Amino acid sequence: MDREAGRPKGKRRRSRGVILGVVAGLLLIVGAVVLALTLRPDTLKATFLTRCKEFKGYDCEKLWGAFEQAYVGRDPCKVSREAYDPFIAAADFKPACNRLMFWSKTKDVVHDFTKKRDCYLTVEDTVLGSVLNGLTWCGKEGSNETFTTNCPGWRDCENNTVGSFWNRVSTAFADAACGDVTAMLNGNIATPFSPTSIFASNEVKRFDSSRVKSLNVVLVTEKSAVTNCTNTSLKDLQKELKQGIKYNCKEVTEAQIQECSSHPEIPCEACW
Ligand SMILES: *[C@@H]1O[C@H](CO)[C@@H](O)[C@H](O)[C@H]1NC(C)=O
Ligand SMILES: *[C@@H]1O[C@H](CO)[C@@H](O)[C@H](O)[C@H]1NC(C)=O
Ligand SMILES: *[C@@H]1O[C@H](CO)[C@@H](O)[C@H](O)[C@H]1NC(C)=O
Ligand SMILES: *[C@@H]1O[C@H](CO)[C@@H](O)[C@H](O)[C@H]1NC(C)=O
């Protein structure tokens, strides 16, 4: 005898539907996992190439090759800054006068501004930094693959794959500085010019007085801010500059910067 004979038909159909749904759901999840696993080694390259193609005049496959040779097959804690020299050479970033924007601890406000207004460029807006911004990668000894998880960072070792890249790239960016240079620093923290920042440890030291005329600090400062342009750390910054490079500092509220971000008719020189 059919054990389910006494059950109403609708319920049986419903439970079969539920089982089918669960099975289909599981298949979908398994499929997605398999797809993610097979695609994973390629995602970094795919992202790199997609972002690279937004910049004119680059052989993006060649740029990828120059980048990849820095870390593939290497211990991810033994990648020096110099390993990225071929990438820097292939990117061939030209000096940009009066347009370069450096930053420290102002990531969101500065990028919101440079994305909406095209008068200034941060390193992340150039081919040097854009292709890998926000990403993680490393290689492994005895492997020709690129990994995007379990890669060492600053906490693990000094010469880590990603850290060495940003150190090298920021140095190249600072080397390209020319004319009037801008730096957006954070006035809402005690030490706007921190000696451990990339800006302090790499970039400021590279400003060449034969090319750079001035450094203009935009100190993003709210009314209740803890510090201002008179802060000692900013005096230290001034001292770090090579002779002949002029220094200015101006306190500007975030609201004022946002006002400029959303009003393209305001000339950039009037933003602060
Ligand atoms: C990191 O690499 C540099 C060369 O770029 C080297 O001088 C330094 O000793 C290395 N640091 C460590 C901890 O291995
Ligand atoms: C890695 O090496 C294997 C075997 O030598 C080769 O088939 C594969 O194409 C290589 N992969 C990459 C990403 O170079
Ligand atoms: C800047 O901050 C110092 C204390 O850190 C304060 O004495 C000074 O009045 C401030 N200057 C201005 C212009 O707000
Ligand atoms: C100003 O700079 C000094 C030295 O870099 C720092 O120790 C201090 O906390 C800073 N901020 C204020 C609000 O004084």
Side-chain angles (χ1 to χ4, degrees):
M1 194 187 134
D2 187 350
R3 285 167 61 205
E4 293 194 49
R7 282 210 192 166
K9 244 185 180 167
K11 193 165 182 186
R12 204 188 312 159
R13 208 174 289 142
R14 214 179 305 139
S15 62
R16 204 182 297 146
V18 168
I19 291 169
L20 276 176
V22 168
V23 169
L26 281 176
L27 280 176
L28 213 66
I29 291 169
V30 169
V33 168
V34 168
L35 202 67
L37 286 178
T38 39
L39 286 179
R40 199 164 50 180
D42 280 330
T43 22
L44 187 87
K45 182 175 181 184
T47 307
F48 182 106
L49 293 178
T50 306
R51 292 183 183 178
C52 172
K53 282 175 189 140
E54 288 168 22
F55 296 88
K56 289 194 180 66
Y58 285 100
D59 179 341
C60 292
E61 282 284 348
K62 198 174 148 209
L63 193 62
W64 167 260
F67 162 71
E68 190 188 41
Q69 63 71 42
Y71 65 88
V72 164
R74 294 197 196 184
D75 178 336
C77 268
K78 289 182 183 158
V79 176
S80 67
R81 302 170 182 207
E82 294 76 25
Y84 289 103
D85 285 353
F87 169 77
I88 299 296
D92 189 28
F93 187 64
K94 297 280 193 302
C97 295
N98 311 324
R99 297 193 67 208
L100 295 199
M101 170 72 88
F102 294 81
W103 61 272
S104 182
K105 302 272 165 61
T106 52
K107 189 177 183 172
D108 293 338
V109 57
V110 76
H111 287 137
D112 179 62
F113 179 74
T114 59
K115 284 222 159 52
K116 290 178 182 158
R117 302 296 308 264
D118 58 8
C119 28
Y120 295 101
L121 287 172
T122 65
V123 67
E124 293 80 7
D125 299 311
T126 71
V127 73
L128 288 174
S130 148
V131 287
L132 291 148
N133 194 17
L135 304 178
T136 302
W137 65 94
C138 61
K140 201 195 260 180
E141 272 179 305
S143 163
N144 64 357
E145 277 183 70
T146 293
F147 301 90
T148 54
T149 52
N150 298 321
C151 291
W154 288 118
R155 262 172 261 103
D156 308 296
C157 48
E158 185 192 343
N159 291 328
N160 67 85
T161 318
V162 176
S164 289
F165 174 81
W166 287 109
N167 273 323
R168 183 65 190 90
V169 155
S170 59
T171 302
F173 188 64
D175 286 345
C178 159
D180 299 321
V181 172
T182 311
M184 204 178 275
L185 305 182
N186 191 338
N188 300 313
I189 56 175
T191 310
F193 181 67
S194 162
T196 57
S197 66
I198 285 192
F199 180 58
S201 62
N202 273 351
E203 296 173 330
V204 168
K205 293 178 166 67
R206 306 290 297 203
F207 293 156
D208 179 345
S209 58
S210 70
R211 275 206 310 259
V212 175
K213 276 202 316 213
S214 72
L215 173 68
N216 302 286
V217 171
V218 174
L219 192 64
V220 184
T221 310
E222 301 314 312
K223 280 201 184 71
S224 58
V226 291
T227 194
N228 58 35
C229 282
T230 68
N231 181 262
T232 313
S233 81
L234 294 169
K235 297 275 177 280
D236 297 339
L237 165 56
Q238 202 170 346
K239 280 183 223 145
E240 290 258 348
L241 293 175
K242 300 202 176 84
Q243 281 249 312
I245 301 179
K246 284 203 200 82
Y247 169 88
N248 297 294
C249 178
K250 198 163 181 185
E251 291 147 24
V252 182
T253 63
E254 188 167 339
Q256 193 179 333
I257 295 166
Q258 280 164 352
E259 175 80 2
C260 245
S261 298
S262 46
H263 289 94
E265 70 279 8
I266 303 174
C268 288
E269 311 82 68
C271 285
W272 44 73

